[in-house]
Amino acid sequence: MKSIASVPGKVILFGEHFVVYGIKAILCAIDKRITVTSQFLDEPKIRIKSELGNAEIDLGVLSSLNSISTRFMKPFFYIVKETLKEFNVNKGIEIILKSDIPAGIGLGSSSAACVAVTASVAGLFDRKSKEQVLKRSIESERIIFKDASGADSSVSTFGGLMSYDKNGFEKIDSKNNFSFIIANSNQVHNTREVVLKVSEFKNKNEKLFAEMCKQEEGLVREALLRLKENDLNKLGSLISENQELLEKINVSTDRLDLLIKEASKTSYGAKITGAGGGGCIICLVDESNAMATLENLKKISDCFIAKIDFGGLIYCNPS
Ligand code: PMV
């Protein structure tokens, strides 16, 4: 028997960095997915295969996760360990990950992988609710990133749009029909380092930063209204205003600025998504300007179109 689960990646529409200081962010699931297939093995082994690498351990080693050297695989082994414990079973399992979410550019691929592995492995025994899957996948992420907010996993699990702050997340009831052109700067970034840089900026510019937080809060408040109206012109301007704030806290780069400048010629608005310092930008588009934006950005970057994903976690095999 195979258990298959598929989970979307995400973009941040508003509020990255400021969310760290208590401001609401708005996230959106995108139709780039990771699909995980699990099945029992006859041997007492846990085997993980992915485009980013493979790992295999004996069942006995599951109890000592610290000895596992491949860092990004640890959450997956944790998920297997907890699931086997929960169902009181000691059996080998093979897990295969296939992803069309580009990794390492802030599109939520690692969180989506944790959600999909949790759902797929649990599905070998009993299908879990989305809430239960989310809980375990956040626990697993915190094995390697103890401050993980859970925002990415939440939007990947439930799909659609959501607002998020330290008090939790709220689904945004939306039937929006916009899309994004996502352009990769091909500059490697490190979220932790960029977050630290922003905290240094804040410490040196307390008053200015407090003012910026207020501005971001205003942008998010207005964006929530405009999302209800599906007013893309206004949403696009808010996105561009958010980009200006991100530039002021120095998380943009020359390369990202160039992509934004090109994107602004045809899209409703464009900004960095995620930590910045590299990674990618999102450009708000619909059918009237998607192709023009894509063609233009293609000349200078790796880019693709992404739609909103409303499905979130999906089990792909019959129950
Ligand atoms: O790089 P990403 O997409 O994981 O986004 C990080 C978002 C930040 O606001 C910069 C950090 C955070 O933990 O919220």
Side-chain angles (χ1 to χ4, degrees):
M1 176 214 170
K2 285 184 177 174
S3 167
I4 308 171
S6 162
V7 174
K10 68 92 196 21
V11 294
I12 302 179
L13 264 182
F14 291 93
E16 51 274 270
H17 288 294
F18 298 99
V19 70
V20 174
Y21 302 97
I23 307 301
K24 250 185 201 166
I26 301 179
L27 283 79
C28 178
I30 53 168
D31 65 346
K32 297 287 162 217
R33 288 183 160 261
I34 184 153
T35 302
V36 174
T37 305
S38 304
Q39 61 183 329
F40 288 118
L41 290 173
D42 291 332
E43 322 143 74
K45 300 212 179 276
I46 306 300
R47 185 179 299 146
I48 301 175
K49 293 182 178 172
S50 80
E51 287 115 343
L52 296 181
N54 302 326
E56 184 174 298
I57 59 165
D58 289 329
L59 262 182
V61 179
L62 265 189
S63 52
S64 49
L65 285 178
N66 283 340
S67 64
I68 295 164
S69 57
T70 335
R71 191 168 180 267
F72 81 95
M73 295 277 189
K74 276 189 189 174
F76 309 148
F77 287 116
Y78 169 85
I79 291 163
V80 175
K81 180 179 125 191
E82 291 301 306
T83 311
L84 290 177
K85 195 162 79 186
E86 180 185 349
F87 292 98
N88 201 15
V89 169
N90 214 15
K91 263 183 144 176
I93 294 179
E94 179 182 72
I95 299 166
I96 301 173
L97 292 88
K98 284 214 166 357
S99 179
D100 52 27
I101 311 169
I105 55 169
L107 299 181
S109 62
S110 20
S111 299
C114 289
V115 176
V117 170
T118 304
S120 165
V121 173
L124 288 170
F125 304 92
D126 191 13
R127 212 169 264 195
K128 283 184 175 291
S129 69
K130 288 191 171 183
E131 285 77 7
Q132 289 169 322
V133 169
L134 177 60
K135 186 168 176 289
R136 179 157 296 155
S137 70
I138 294 177
E139 278 165 22
S140 74
E141 270 192 277
R142 290 188 176 148
I143 298 279
I144 54 169
F145 188 27
K146 77 173 179 10
D147 301 323
S149 63
D152 288 12
S153 321
S154 303
V155 76
S156 287
T157 303
F158 291 99
L161 288 116
M162 72 173 210
S163 65
Y164 179 84
D165 65 15
K166 283 184 176 149
N167 299 321
F169 70 90
E170 211 172 306
K171 199 137 171 48
I172 299 171
D173 199 12
S174 116
K175 301 267 180 301
N176 296 97
N177 61 356
F178 52 75
S179 301
F180 306 102
I181 303 298
I182 300 180
N184 188 352
S185 70
N186 285 114
Q187 288 176 316
V188 180
H189 73 157
N190 177 320
T191 297
R192 267 170 197 248
E193 277 169 20
V194 189
V195 168
L196 191 66
K197 211 175 116 186
V198 173
S199 108
E200 283 163 7
F201 176 90
K202 173 186 172 281
N203 292 339
K204 281 193 198 134
N205 305 279
E206 285 286 354
K207 256 179 112 177
L208 175 66
F209 194 81
E211 182 50 40
M212 287 175 162
C213 284
K214 276 208 186 105
Q215 288 173 25
E216 183 68 46
E217 203 168 25
L219 290 179
V220 170
R221 203 178 312 120
E222 189 168 356
L224 288 170
L225 294 175
R226 301 303 174 184
L227 278 167
K228 281 203 181 108
E229 298 159 2
N230 202 37
D231 182 342
L232 300 194
N233 279 310
K234 191 64 202 165
L235 266 175
S237 320
L238 295 170
I239 284 178
S240 300
E241 281 181 55
N242 195 152
Q243 171 62 19
E244 283 171 28
L245 288 179
L246 292 170
E247 284 169 20
K248 283 189 186 144
I249 58 171
N250 301 322
V251 300
S252 201
T253 63
D254 290 348
R255 173 89 185 128
L256 288 166
D257 290 347
L258 175 73
L259 295 178
I260 300 278
K261 194 170 154 223
E262 280 309 310
S264 305
K265 290 180 182 165
T266 47
S267 68
Y268 291 105
K271 66 180 268 295
I272 293 165
T273 184
C280 54
I281 66 157
I282 51 168
C283 322
L284 187 72
V285 294
D286 63 8
E287 65 280 357
S288 71
N289 54 2
M291 281 309 135
T293 307
L294 190 65
E295 289 308 319
N296 196 29
L297 282 170
K298 246 188 198 160
K299 292 178 199 149
I300 53 167
S301 70
D302 292 334
C303 55
F304 57 92
I305 187 162
K307 293 194 166 65
I308 308 175
D309 172 282
F310 288 102
L313 160 64
I314 291 170
Y315 289 95
C316 305
N317 49 326
S319 54

